Amino acid sequence: DQVYTTLMNYEAEGGGDEAEDVRTALADGVYKAGWSTVSSDLAQIIFLVGDAPPHNDYENTTDTLTTAASAVRRGIVVNTIQCGTMGPTTRAWRAIAQHGNGQYFAIADNGGVQAISSPYDEQMGHLSNQLGATFVPYGFGEGADGEMSRGALAREKAAVEARVATDAPSVAKAERALNKVVSKEAYVGDLLQSLENGSVTFETINQADLPSELRRLPSADLKLELERRLAQRRELRSQILSLSKQREEFVKSERKKMNGESEGFDAVVANTVKAQMARKGLK
């Protein structure tokens, strides 16, 4: 959600010349994205996406080929996706992918994504918003500061739900709903999630970390209330999964009508991630 809503806020502006600051974009991706420590059971993959070549006259940043080679030494694969057919971009993107031990792809300048809407998308989005409403902020300790922090976290989550409900395309709503169902870490700071993944038990709940309306409940009543909310969450997930299966069949059928496999951004990324994870023995 944090990534998605951040992207929703972006507006492209400025420029005036052909080249872009690709050097900084790639360097930030390699050095500032907060990568995990390299391990045998982890695949770390970058996709550099753009339609214009690098500004090679920006001498205060490292050139893209040096950064790509540095990424490989850090255990990161750098792939490049060119939008459009600009010749200088093609040459630069091919070289970056080569130095980054990755692959080069060219797609349509509009992304080429085959976004297939289905009759199930809006309903899945509605259920997703209901699932989001089961969020129970947990943590930050007792006192006014703790209560204020929990309240701020709850309002932040509610604001995201409202933003997605009004602004996101129906396809995004449906895919987000499914992601919430399958992810065990969908919500940071959520008591119900912590109970589900076992990091907190009913016996180890810290009363001081609860919202005020739950903190006032006797232990037996608190357990009953949380079990009720957990059951509600499971029911919402079940409904989303059922609709998701129907949606998947619908999308498969529609794709067949489109004659062949998509070569858009989504298909390129999905297929490349699977292949490069497989190189490390990951599924």
Side-chain angles (χ1 to χ4, degrees):
D1 280 349
Q2 185 177 1
V3 171
Y4 185 64
T5 52
T6 298
L7 291 173
M8 288 174 76
N9 289 331
Y10 282 165
E11 293 184 9
E13 59 183 12
D17 56 359
E18 183 177 280
E20 300 289 357
D21 191 7
V22 181
R23 286 186 172 196
T24 298
L26 184 57
D28 283 358
V30 172
Y31 302 122
K32 296 183 180 180
W35 296 96
S36 301
T37 303
V38 176
S39 67
S40 59
D41 61 350
L42 182 68
Q44 302 187 120
I45 302 169
I46 282 179
F47 290 89
L48 178 67
V49 187
D51 62 352
H55 252 297
N56 289 322
D57 54 339
Y58 287 2
E59 297 180 358
N60 59 331
T61 54
T62 308
D63 71 86
T64 53
L65 302 187
T66 300
T67 301
S70 176
V72 173
R73 292 193 294 271
R74 292 166 175 256
I76 302 170
V77 176
V78 180
N79 303 288
T80 56
I81 301 178
Q82 179 184 359
C83 305
T85 58
M86 196 180 295
T89 309
T90 304
R91 292 188 289 274
W93 256 229
R94 285 187 181 278
I96 293 168
Q98 183 179 2
H99 282 71
N101 198 24
Q103 291 179 267
Y104 160 83
F105 301 93
I107 62 176
D109 55 8
N110 67 356
V113 176
Q114 293 180 347
I116 300 174
S117 299
S118 83
Y120 313 101
D121 295 351
E122 289 296 334
Q123 189 176 355
M124 289 177 68
H126 179 64
L127 291 169
S128 176
N129 292 139
Q130 289 183 276
L131 190 59
T134 65
F135 177 83
V136 179
Y138 181 72
F140 306 106
E142 58 186 338
D145 289 343
E147 193 63 27
M148 187 180 300
S149 297
R150 285 188 291 273
L153 183 59
R155 288 191 296 275
E156 177 188 329
K157 297 298 182 186
V160 170
E161 296 294 342
R163 176 77 189 280
V164 171
T166 56
D167 295 348
S170 61
V171 172
K173 292 177 185 178
E175 293 180 350
R176 176 175 179 265
L178 181 59
N179 181 66
K180 281 188 183 182
V181 171
V182 301
S183 173
K184 294 181 179 179
E185 302 293 340
Y187 297 106
V188 176
D190 174 39
L191 176 58
L192 298 187
Q193 178 178 271
S194 298
L195 288 168
E196 289 176 315
N197 64 28
S199 59
V200 173
T201 66
F202 288 111
E203 292 72 29
T204 61
I205 290 175
N206 184 354
Q207 294 284 329
D209 285 331
L210 290 169
S212 58
E213 72 273 11
L214 295 179
R215 196 164 58 247
R216 292 190 290 264
L217 295 177
S219 295
D221 291 344
L222 173 63
K223 184 176 181 181
L224 285 173
E225 175 60 19
L226 292 176
E227 286 177 338
R228 183 191 69 80
R229 297 190 188 195
L230 286 167
Q232 179 189 16
R233 185 174 282 192
R234 285 192 292 271
E235 173 58 25
L236 289 168
R237 284 185 180 135
S238 176
Q239 293 181 48
I240 290 172
L241 278 175
S242 176
L243 288 170
S244 177
K245 291 176 182 177
Q246 297 175 70
R247 179 179 184 270
E248 184 178 0
E249 291 304 314
F250 179 89
V251 170
K252 282 182 180 178
S253 175
E254 292 300 301
R255 286 199 188 281
K256 286 181 181 179
K257 299 175 185 177
M258 292 180 175
N259 299 320
E261 214 146 301
S262 168
E263 294 181 353
F265 175 82
D266 52 347
V268 165
V269 170
N271 293 335
T272 305
V273 167
K274 289 177 184 177
Q276 292 178 354
M277 286 177 65
R279 285 196 326 212
K280 299 203 69 172
L282 304 173
K283 294 183 179 180

